[in-house]
Amino acid sequence: MSGNFFQPVDAAEVPRFAGHSTFMRLPAVQTAIGLDIALVGIPWDGGTTNRAGARHGPREVRNQSSLMRRVHHVSGTAPFSIANVADVGDLSVNPIDLADGLDRIRKGMDTIVAAGAIPLSVGGDHLTTLPVLRAVAKNRPVGLIHFDAHSDTNDRYFGDNPYTHGTPFRRAIEEGLLDPKRIVQIGIRGSIYDPGEHDWAKEQGIRIIYMEEFVTRGADDVMREAREIAGGLPTYVTFDIDCIDPSMAPGTGTPEAGGFTTREAQQMIRLLAGVEIVGADVVEVAPPFDLAGMTALAGATMMFELLCVIAKQVGVRRDAAGVPDHRPSAR
């Protein structure tokens, strides 16, 4: 540790290709106790309906995250100096039993939330967000800022199967985990199953901003609306890597042409400043379909962008409370 908080391994001392592979080259710890932000992997893709492989996402995002440095070049945020952050490893999963897999993820996330840390996870397919929300929103519904090519509010797949990566937010609303009037989905695009595919979501009050609207309005205006929808209340942020165009992020389960550039995605995350983020994730990075690690690098970059926003939120809250920059070290 340096001062009060964990610090990444210095790339000027140990080259990026050497040493242990952890998120941002931070220490690996056994528990989230003492952490402000817990970086966690969820290597599970039991809800995938097309190209499986997102179970390998956390490992490769860890590898590419070695390229992240200490300070954000635009905001000047130094996340590791204003928040205690570490890699708490991967949650326990079950690759052959969907119900048990969901329960294991929820139980693992329960321990992180109970420790008082804000979880920032890497999946895994988008169904992993459902058990995370079961932990994060256990005591009250939260809002959702959702970057994706797909709404993920479908009902059933392959007969009567309610749990896939195309259904998590429908289930979360039904379970009272999300306030649908505080949900905004940004970047939705691509062909759909039928003309009314998004009707249920809209009827619940979800604001869907299709890619075409984003192109017309631009990031600043869209994110202003997103912040208004979040409303200064507890909000979860979920980032599906397939919101980025497959020319820049090909390694994903259900790629859709016509997406964001990585630069646009970075800009939108930076505009989350002021949102009360109680948890966040980056999902659907599928390394078996990647080229030269470019999708995993995009995922690690978005993870760092989210980390900087959340860490600044932690620092502001600590300053407002008059709490000194000291927490017990994680064990």
Side-chain angles (χ1 to χ4, degrees), residues 65-133:
S65 74
S66 67
L67 292 166
M68 303 303 111
R69 297 177 176 84
R70 295 172 183 264
V71 182
H72 195 284
H73 77 287
V74 175
S75 68
T77 303
F80 311 113
S81 297
I82 58 178
N84 203 20
V85 190
D87 186 336
V88 299
D90 288 342
L91 299 185
S92 174
V93 298
N94 185 336
I96 60 171
D97 187 317
L98 187 148
D100 185 54
L102 291 173
D103 197 46
R104 286 170 181 255
I105 294 167
R106 191 267 306 165
K107 288 177 179 176
M109 195 58 66
D110 272 340
T111 65
I112 293 172
V113 173
I118 297 172
L120 175 52
S121 62
V122 174
D125 69 40
H126 221 155
L127 185 55
T128 60
T129 304
L130 177 60
V132 173
L133 287 170

Side-chain angles (χ1 to χ4, degrees), residues 20-229:
H20 296 292
S21 181
T22 63
F23 288 125
M24 318 289 177
R25 308 192 85 194
L26 287 160
V29 300
Q30 298 300 310
T31 172
I33 295 173
L35 298 181
D36 294 304
I37 304 167
L39 308 183
V40 57
I42 309 179
W44 188 80
D45 56 10
T48 302
T49 59
N50 187 29
R51 304 195 303 186
R55 66 184 63 185
H56 303 290
R59 181 169 292 186
E60 189 56 26
V61 171
R62 281 189 174 93
N63 183 30
Q64 295 296 334
S65 74
S66 67
L67 292 166
M68 303 303 111
R69 297 177 176 84
R70 295 172 183 264
V71 182
H72 195 284
H73 77 287
V74 175
S75 68
T77 303
F80 311 113
S81 297
I82 58 178
N84 203 20
V85 190
D87 186 336
V88 299
D90 288 342
L91 299 185
S92 174
V93 298
N94 185 336
I96 60 171
D97 187 317
L98 187 148
D100 185 54
L102 291 173
D103 197 46
R104 286 170 181 255
I105 294 167
R106 191 267 306 165
K107 288 177 179 176
M109 195 58 66
D110 272 340
T111 65
I112 293 172
V113 173
I118 297 172
L120 175 52
S121 62
V122 174
D125 69 40
H126 221 155
L127 185 55
T128 60
T129 304
L130 177 60
V132 173
L133 287 170
R134 287 171 176 167
V136 171
K138 179 165 55 177
N139 298 319
R140 78 291 188 231
V142 300
L144 182 73
I145 297 178
H146 175 194
F147 301 97
D148 205 328
H150 312 101
S151 177
D152 293 348
T153 52
N154 289 329
D155 191 13
R156 296 289 195 277
Y157 280 68
F158 306 107
D160 194 35
N161 294 285
Y163 297 109
T164 78
H165 65 169
T167 67
F169 303 113
R170 189 172 186 132
R171 302 287 89 86
I173 290 170
E174 291 171 346
E175 293 179 24
L177 305 173
L178 294 174
D179 176 355
K181 292 181 173 54
R182 290 206 304 116
I183 297 176
V184 57
Q185 300 181 324
I186 306 169
I188 309 303
R189 66 185 188 278
S191 56
I192 53 180
Y193 290 111
D194 63 71
E197 181 173 325
H198 298 150
D199 288 353
W200 184 90
K202 293 174 182 177
E203 288 165 3
Q204 309 313 303
I206 295 175
R207 173 69 167 105
I208 299 178
I209 298 176
Y210 293 97
M211 194 67 202
E212 292 74 16
E213 181 180 349
F214 172 85
V215 170
T216 299
R217 295 175 59 189
D220 286 341
D221 194 36
V222 164
M223 293 309 297
R224 175 195 54 74
E225 183 182 358
R227 293 191 301 271
E228 290 174 354
I229 291 170

